[in-house]
């Protein structure tokens, strides 16, 4: 849309990338709340549909406010192209379903967000797609699963809620040898802490609902990849199935990107302090945070992430009753299944985000009855630590 100087640095891109002013010369990006567009002539309409003229034709296909969000996110991610979607799940769904057909093989890591598991584990089978789940941290399992032709591979790293780290360059290499594309759900890392495309992945998906909005206001999602993938595979699928992002939400998400770097760096700083406090507490059985030396893939996290992230997983002593006592004793941190928000939010994945999975399946992906997932917000970290310390006194 606009000419973006190649030498703009990240902070500048986050504030100005993709912006296109109307003739009214507004400062903030304009909000185009329109569904349709008009043509000066019948010929112009014809050319807009046969591809000889590039312009906006219908907001299910493209919209100027949504396009500004897509262009800005592509710039930050270092992707050739981006398409925004109505939610993170619409992005995951389209990234996979736009590629696969009956008879294909798809592989995925086992530790996934509940709805991602439903799409890959339950939905794909209905359409005759064969799926292999592996322990994402075990390269031998990846080698075995990818010894046959594979359409695509889907991973979350860090995973929700178990914070498993998967070796993106290694899995990318195996995926390409099997003839497939590697899709990375990069929600937990955010566009700032991990660059999957630079590490060898082909497609990146986001729930923009999380850190990109980051203030609990709206749903949104995005898929990023090569121009060829977006134009030939993903684009037609989105255009004809219609999970488009509302222009209003795109506008909120543009505002979210402007402050993303400031917010994520504070989230990470606070999460590190909270993780260190929890690790030293006698009432806590286990803490998982990628930047702690105790994390099983701490070294790998250090190689492919620029920080430990904004989420801390921990298990207070006392199993599920202990976890519930802690949750119910918190006064500042809210019980909520959202994450990446300015407000600190805590959830019990066993009974919420992963409730529909069987106990064996949950245990198999590292989710325990006593485990909690804490999304560390932007409050003063000492207030968060005080709230946790007080609740741990009650729970133990
Ligand atoms: C929240 C989340 C999603 C789904 O995003 P929505 O915007 O809620 O649809 C997908 N993947 C991960 C890792 C998530 O945390």
């Amino acid at each position: 849309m606009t000419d973006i100087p190649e030498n703009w640095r990240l902070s500048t891109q986050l504030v100005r990338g993709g912006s296109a002013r109307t003739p009214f010369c507004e400062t903030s990006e304009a909000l185009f709340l329109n569904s349709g567009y008009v043509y000066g002539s019948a010929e112009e309409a014809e050319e807009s549909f046969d591809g000889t003229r590039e312009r906006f034709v219908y907001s299910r296909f493209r919209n100027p406010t949504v396009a500004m969000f897509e262009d800005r996110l592509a710039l930050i991610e270092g992707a050739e192209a981006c398409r925004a979607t109505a939610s993170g799940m619409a992005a995951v769904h389209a990234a996979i379903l736009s590629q696969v057909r009956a008879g294909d093989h798809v592989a995925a890591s086992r530790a996934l967000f509940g709805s991602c598991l439903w799409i890959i584990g339950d939905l794909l089978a209905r359409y005759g797609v064969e799926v292999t789940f592996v322990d994402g941290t075990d390269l031998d399992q990846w080698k075995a699963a990818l010894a046959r032709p594979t359409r695509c591979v889907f991973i979350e790293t860090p995973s929700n809620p178990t914070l498993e780290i998967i070796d993106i360059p290694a899995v990318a290499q195996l995926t390409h040898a099997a003839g497939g594309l590697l899709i990375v759900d990069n929600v937990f890392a955010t566009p700032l802490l991990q660059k999957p495309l630079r590490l060898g992945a082909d497609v990146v998906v986001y729930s923009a609902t999380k850190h990109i909005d980051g203030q609990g206001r709206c749903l949104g999602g995005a898929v990023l990849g090569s121009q060829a993938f977006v134009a030939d595979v993903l684009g037609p699928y989105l255009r004809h199935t219609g999970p488009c992002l509302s222009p209003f939400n795109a506008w909120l998400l543009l505002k979210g990107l402007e402050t993303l770097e400031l917010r994520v760096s504070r989230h990470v700083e606070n999460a590190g302090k909270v993780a260190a406090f929890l690790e030293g507490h006698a009432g806590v059985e286990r803490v998982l945070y990628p930047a702690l030396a105790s994390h099983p893939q701490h070294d790998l996290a250090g190689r492919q992430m620029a920080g430990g992230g904004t989420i801390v997983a921990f298990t207070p002593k006392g199993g599920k009753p202990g976890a519930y006592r802690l949750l119910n004793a918190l006064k500042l941190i809210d019980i909520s299944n959202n994450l990446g928000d300015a407000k600190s939010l805590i959830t019990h994945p066993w009974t919420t985000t992963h409730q529909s999975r069987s106990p064996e399946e949950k245990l198999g992906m590292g989710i325990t009855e006593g485990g909690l997932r804490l999304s560390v917000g932007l409050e003063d970290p000492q207030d968060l630590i005080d709230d946790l310390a007080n609740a741990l006194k009650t729970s133990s």
Side-chain angles (χ1 to χ4, degrees):
M1 295 181 77
T2 38
D3 289 332
I4 295 148
E6 299 232 332
N7 57 357
W8 274 0
R9 292 166 182 84
L10 178 71
S11 305
T12 311
Q13 291 174 350
L14 282 159
V15 176
R16 292 178 176 268
S19 287
R21 289 202 169 106
T22 75
F24 294 119
C25 302
E26 64 283 352
T27 314
S28 176
E29 291 71 19
L31 176 46
F32 288 89
L33 280 176
N34 59 304
S35 48
Y37 304 82
V38 296
Y39 307 94
S41 66
E43 289 78 9
E44 192 185 333
E46 180 181 358
E47 287 164 12
S48 306
F49 274 77
D50 73 13
T52 48
R53 185 190 283 262
E54 205 175 312
R55 49 159 288 166
F56 294 101
V57 294
Y58 191 53
S59 286
R60 168 153 51 78
F61 312 163
R62 292 209 95 191
N63 167 281
T65 309
V66 176
M68 284 191 259
F69 171 65
E70 292 169 337
D71 290 350
R72 186 174 296 178
L73 193 57
L75 199 61
I76 293 154
E77 193 68 42
E80 285 174 12
C82 172
R83 281 287 180 275
T85 54
S87 69
M89 285 324 303
V92 170
H93 179 260
I96 298 170
L97 270 288
S98 64
Q99 302 187 44
V100 296
R101 54 213 68 209
D104 278 352
H105 176 240
V106 168
S109 49
R110 195 170 290 130
L112 296 178
F113 177 61
S115 296
C116 298
L117 269 178
W118 187 85
I119 289 180
I120 298 166
D122 302 341
L123 184 66
L124 288 185
R126 292 188 202 168
Y127 299 99
V129 175
E130 208 184 318
V131 175
T132 308
F133 282 108
V134 303
D135 172 348
T137 63
D138 184 346
L139 281 181
D140 290 333
Q141 287 193 27
W142 281 116
K143 278 181 201 146
L146 298 176
R148 55 192 281 209
T150 301
R151 177 73 63 182
C152 63
V153 169
F154 185 89
I155 62 172
E156 270 176 41
T157 179
S159 67
N160 181 358
T162 50
L163 303 183
E164 267 179 24
I165 310 291
I166 297 174
D167 189 332
I168 297 175
V171 176
Q173 202 179 14
L174 292 167
T175 304
H176 297 154
L181 298 184
L182 175 61
I183 308 168
V184 176
D185 180 332
N186 205 39
V187 168
F188 271 43
T190 81
L192 303 182
L193 301 179
Q194 181 168 271
K195 301 281 185 196
L197 299 177
R198 270 190 221 153
L199 295 166
D202 305 284
V203 178
V204 177
V205 295
Y206 286 106
S207 164
T209 317
K210 310 295 168 54
H211 308 81
I212 293 176
D213 171 45
Q215 290 151 86
R217 301 169 297 189
C218 73
L219 294 166
V223 185
L224 300 108
S226 69
Q227 181 59 35
F229 173 74
V230 171
D232 302 337
V233 180
L234 179 75
Y237 188 85
L238 291 175
R239 176 178 173 130
H240 301 297
T241 59
C244 44
L245 181 66
S246 110
F248 182 74
N249 290 359
W251 181 81
L252 287 175
L253 296 171
L254 275 164
K255 300 291 112 190
L257 285 175
E258 290 181 0
T259 58
L260 185 69
E261 192 185 18
L262 301 174
R263 288 184 290 108
V264 168
S265 63
R266 182 64 70 85
H267 278 292
V268 172
E269 209 178 289
N270 288 358
K273 289 178 183 166
V274 168
F277 160 76
L278 289 170
E279 187 162 60
H281 197 287
V284 175
E285 207 169 87
R286 184 159 197 227
V287 180
L288 278 172
Y289 183 63
L292 290 177
S294 57
H295 189 286
Q297 290 108 28
H298 172 70
D299 292 343
L300 175 58
R303 285 203 300 278
Q304 64 186 30
M305 291 176 71
T310 70
I311 313 286
V312 181
F314 70 104
T315 312
K317 286 188 177 155
K320 184 179 165 191
Y324 270 38
R325 278 196 299 276
L326 182 141
L327 287 174
N328 294 334
L330 290 166
K331 292 190 168 71
L332 169 62
I333 300 168
D334 292 309
I335 303 171
S336 170
N337 46 286
N338 199 4
L339 61 91
D341 197 278
K343 296 183 170 64
S344 290
L345 305 174
I346 193 164
T347 193
H348 183 244
W350 184 277
T351 53
T352 61
T353 54
H354 290 71
Q355 186 184 111
S356 64
R357 313 316 299 187
S358 72
E360 298 73 41
E361 221 179 325
K362 286 187 263 211
L363 292 171
M365 68 176 93
I367 299 173
T368 61
E369 277 197 85
L372 296 171
R373 184 195 75 194
L374 173 60
S375 169
V376 181
L378 302 177
E379 302 94 338
D380 189 301
Q382 194 54 49
D383 287 334
L384 299 174
I385 289 170
D386 290 350
D387 195 33
L388 287 163
N390 180 58
L392 279 163
K393 237 186 278 164
T394 319
S395 75
S396 48

